[in-house]
Amino acid sequence: MKHSDSPDRQFHRRAEAIPILGFGLSVDVYSPDLFELMSRFDQAELRPAYLEIFRAEAEALRKVSRHLRTVPFAYHGEGLWITQPDFSATPLLNQELDDALLHLEILNSPWLNHECATKQMAGYSFGTYLPPLYTAESARAVARNVASVQQRMDQRRRPGDAFGPLFLLEMPPLTYFMAGTMTVPNYFRLVTDLTPCGLVLDIGHLWTLYRYSAARRRSSVEQFVKSFLHEFPLERVIEIHVAGLAPHQAAIPQSSPSNYPEWIDAHAAPIPTVAWTMLEQVLSHPRLRNLRAVALEVDTKPIERIVEEFQGASDRFGATIGCLLARERPAIDALRAVEGGLEMHSRDIDYRRLEADYAEYAQIATGQRPPTGRIWHGVAEDSIGLERYIHDYMPHEILRWGGNLTDMFPETCECLSDAGVVLTEFVPWWFHKPRPLTRPYDFFLLKIDRLLEFVGERAPALLEVARREADVLRSAYADANAGVAPFMESSR
Ligand SMILES: [Fe+2]
């Protein structure tokens, strides 16, 4: 589909086709059990206006769509690593896109929400999201990759529809650090100037940007939010997320209480007061004029707490959100027009340079080289966050998060220890060389493959034991994914 309209005009035409969904939940089908959660809501005579469902096997999504007929759905995708310069050349891209298209169709979703982040970078695999390099070149590459996914969704639109589901780009959380040469809101401004995508503004992610950038040293949270919103393309925000924040499991407890605890994005944790205050500030902004939905993101949270927080938030914000969504929108012609479409704005991207920048990023984030150069200047000045990531967070991710290796492979781990192989050696081994993926990204399956490889190199005599344990894990995982049953902790 070729458009001569500016990205802003294209966006508004697309946004007009998106229904008002209201105040709902962003959930995982497995954790907590979605059917149990919804029946608890029925008992409480409460109803989320919609459910945004995180990526799951098609069969599990079909089951959800068959059994929860009265609630509208939206889709939270995963595995489309649009921040990466090699995105369009990824061998598994077509399979990932076909999966996303199928999931969108099953859920009849008006949008595809995806983090502007990656778990796979320059051949290195991570368990949780790493934000993009906040540079202009990287923003241009993201815009181009998002446009290519949008084109695929438009090609597969339903008969009679003018467009496919809208790509929503979510501003990702920071896990202690970020690198770049431009501000985060300006980065998203550049992306949206180049492509007609919508945005998701996640309040918890916004808090982590305050906490892990220089902003916390020079302004209050309120001032930070005010200046962030001034720069951020708020008129593109279609959905707002609100979720919990908490210190990481591997974090050393702080000896004295702090106004700036080392919280990270934590969906299982309670939503703190500061997040509700920030939400209030965002909702009152006049440029928030294309909002269609607000969701509490509650995967892995105890059911009782979800119901309680939803009730409290409905009482406090329900009327405001209702008024905001019902209000009349300005005519398209009266809107700010950026001249030219994607083609006119998209200067040639130096992909070779960007690939080198991301390879450097992967090596710095895994402690294999120091943060130097213009992009890493801020991190080099204050490296506490990066150090925290390298020495506490990342080893936890490889050894325990999304599947604790000693629980997954009890016999193998015991034998490794008897053979004098220390399991912590698995962490530097994991990152000692890049390894391109051979199947769609799945951190749990990746852990199994990599542990077998590690055992094969370090203690080949134990391979038989490890393979036996791996077979049991793979088949239990496949069974759990095909149904709607919890297996491991959420992989978000
Ligand atoms: Fe979110």
Side-chain angles (χ1 to χ4, degrees):
M1 195 182 297
K2 183 97 176 160
H3 298 277
S4 54
D5 266 358
S6 71
D8 262 3
R9 282 166 186 270
Q10 283 184 51
F11 165 75
H12 284 98
R13 288 185 209 294
R14 290 170 185 275
E16 273 182 351
I18 296 184
I20 289 167
L21 292 181
F23 184 43
L25 295 174
S26 183
V27 295
D28 184 289
V29 294
Y30 308 108
S31 172
D33 181 285
L34 190 50
F35 299 123
E36 239 180 275
L37 175 66
M38 293 307 279
S39 79
R40 182 65 192 79
F41 267 102
D42 284 344
Q43 284 165 26
E45 294 182 3
L46 269 174
R47 197 74 179 162
Y50 77 107
L51 293 173
E52 182 177 72
I53 315 267
F54 191 72
R55 182 199 174 131
E57 292 289 322
E59 204 35 60
L61 296 178
R62 279 194 195 97
K63 196 168 169 183
V64 167
S65 120
R66 268 199 310 269
H67 288 82
L68 299 172
R69 285 174 181 277
T70 55
V71 58
F73 298 115
Y75 181 57
H76 192 316
E78 165 88 335
L80 297 170
W81 309 130
I82 41 88
T83 62
Q84 294 307 288
D86 60 354
F87 175 74
S88 59
T90 314
L92 300 162
L93 179 61
N94 278 336
Q95 197 178 335
E96 292 282 11
L97 282 170
D98 284 346
D99 283 353
L101 290 164
L102 175 64
H103 298 166
L104 288 161
E105 192 185 312
I106 292 170
L107 297 172
N108 192 23
S109 175
W111 65 64
L112 163 67
N113 172 21
H114 202 289
E115 301 280 341
C116 186
T118 193
K119 296 179 179 178
Q120 184 68 28
M121 188 189 291
Y124 296 94
S125 303
F126 298 82
T128 51
Y129 295 122
L130 282 162
L133 287 172
Y134 285 108
T135 66
E137 193 81 337
S138 141
R140 284 195 285 272
V142 165
R144 192 173 277 187
N145 291 337
V146 166
S148 76
V149 177
Q150 185 63 67
Q151 198 173 30
R152 276 289 279 271
M153 292 195 288
D154 289 344
Q155 282 163 357
R156 291 269 292 267
R157 68 190 181 277
R158 287 174 308 198
D161 283 358
F163 307 108
L166 181 62
F167 197 113
L168 302 188
L169 193 60
E170 179 165 345
M171 188 187 84
L174 296 187
T175 306
Y176 308 120
F177 75 97
M178 68 167 189
T181 52
M182 67 194 299
T183 68
V184 172
N186 268 333
Y187 179 91
F188 283 95
R189 171 70 69 191
L190 179 53
V191 173
T192 53
D193 277 352
L194 294 171
T195 193
C197 68
L199 298 172
V200 175
L201 182 59
D202 184 306
I203 302 293
H205 297 182
L206 186 57
W207 188 89
T208 64
L209 178 59
Y210 173 70
R211 175 61 182 80
Y212 301 113
S213 68
R216 84 170 191 282
R217 286 193 293 275
R218 51 167 191 254
S219 55
S220 66
V221 180
E222 192 187 345
Q223 286 162 340
F224 160 76
V225 173
K226 190 178 172 196
S227 57
F228 175 91
L229 297 179
H230 182 69
E231 286 185 342
F232 192 71
L234 204 53
E235 58 285 349
R236 290 288 185 94
V237 171
I238 294 282
E239 189 190 28
I240 291 175
H241 280 174
V242 191
L245 291 159
H248 184 239
Q249 284 161 282
I252 303 146
Q254 285 165 325
S255 49
S256 57
S258 161
N259 284 336
Y260 312 113
E262 281 199 330
W263 287 338
I264 54 172
D265 193 34
H267 296 179
I271 298 169
T273 307
V274 65
W276 297 120
T277 311
M278 289 166 77
L279 173 65
E280 200 159 35
Q281 199 178 344
V282 171
L283 290 176
S284 67
H285 200 287
R287 272 197 294 108
L288 188 69
R289 56 182 174 233
N290 286 300
L291 188 71
R292 297 291 189 273
V294 177
L296 303 188
E297 223 172 353
V298 295
D299 51 288
T300 68
K301 187 170 269 191
I303 287 178
E304 283 312 310
R305 189 178 288 157
I306 297 173
V307 175
E308 202 178 291
E309 281 182 339
F310 188 82
Q311 175 78 75
S314 301
D315 293 347
R316 181 167 167 191
F317 297 104
T320 311
I321 293 170
C323 286
L324 205 66
L325 298 180
R327 115 182 140 186
E328 220 167 289
R329 281 152 231 296
I332 290 174
D333 287 346
L335 295 162
R336 183 179 84 103
V338 176
E339 290 309 314
L342 181 62
E343 296 80 9
M344 289 178 66
H345 273 271
S346 191
R347 281 188 256 147
D348 275 342
I349 298 164
D350 186 348
Y351 281 105
R352 201 174 292 176
R353 167 85 184 273
L354 198 54
E355 277 180 21
D357 288 344
Y358 272 103
E360 181 190 61
Y361 183 171
Q363 287 173 345
I364 292 172
T366 54
Q368 298 182 73
R369 62 191 283 179
T372 53
R374 208 169 135 253
I375 294 174
W376 290 88
H377 177 73
V379 177
E381 294 268 287
D382 177 6
S383 61
I384 294 173
L386 175 65
E387 298 291 323
R388 177 81 73 243
Y389 182 84
I390 293 170
H391 299 296
D392 299 334
Y393 186 84
M394 198 246 298
H396 179 89
E397 188 169 273
I398 301 299
L399 298 174
R400 287 181 280 280
W401 188 85
N404 190 329
L405 287 176
T406 53
D407 296 337
M408 290 166 70
F409 290 91
E411 204 179 329
T412 309
C413 290
E414 210 179 307
C415 294
L416 279 173
S417 166
D418 291 346
V421 180
V422 184
L423 201 56
T424 49
E425 286 173 25
F426 185 54
V427 180
W429 180 88
W430 178 289
F431 291 112
H432 80 287
K433 64 173 184 188
R435 290 184 185 79
L437 290 180
T438 52
R439 63 157 158 256
Y441 172 92
D442 184 307
F443 194 57
F444 185 74
L445 296 178
L446 207 56
K447 274 194 171 186
I448 298 175
D449 293 350
R450 296 274 163 89
L451 191 86
L452 289 181
E453 213 183 312
F454 177 72
V455 170
E457 276 184 28
R458 298 290 167 95
L462 300 178
L463 252 184
E464 210 182 306
V465 180
R467 281 195 185 122
R468 182 165 34 79
E469 289 188 310
D471 287 346
V472 174
L473 284 166
R474 286 186 184 121
S475 97
Y477 189 59
D479 288 349
N481 278 340
V484 180
F487 181 69
M488 304 302 292
E489 68 182 283
S490 164
S491 61
R492 264 207 247 194

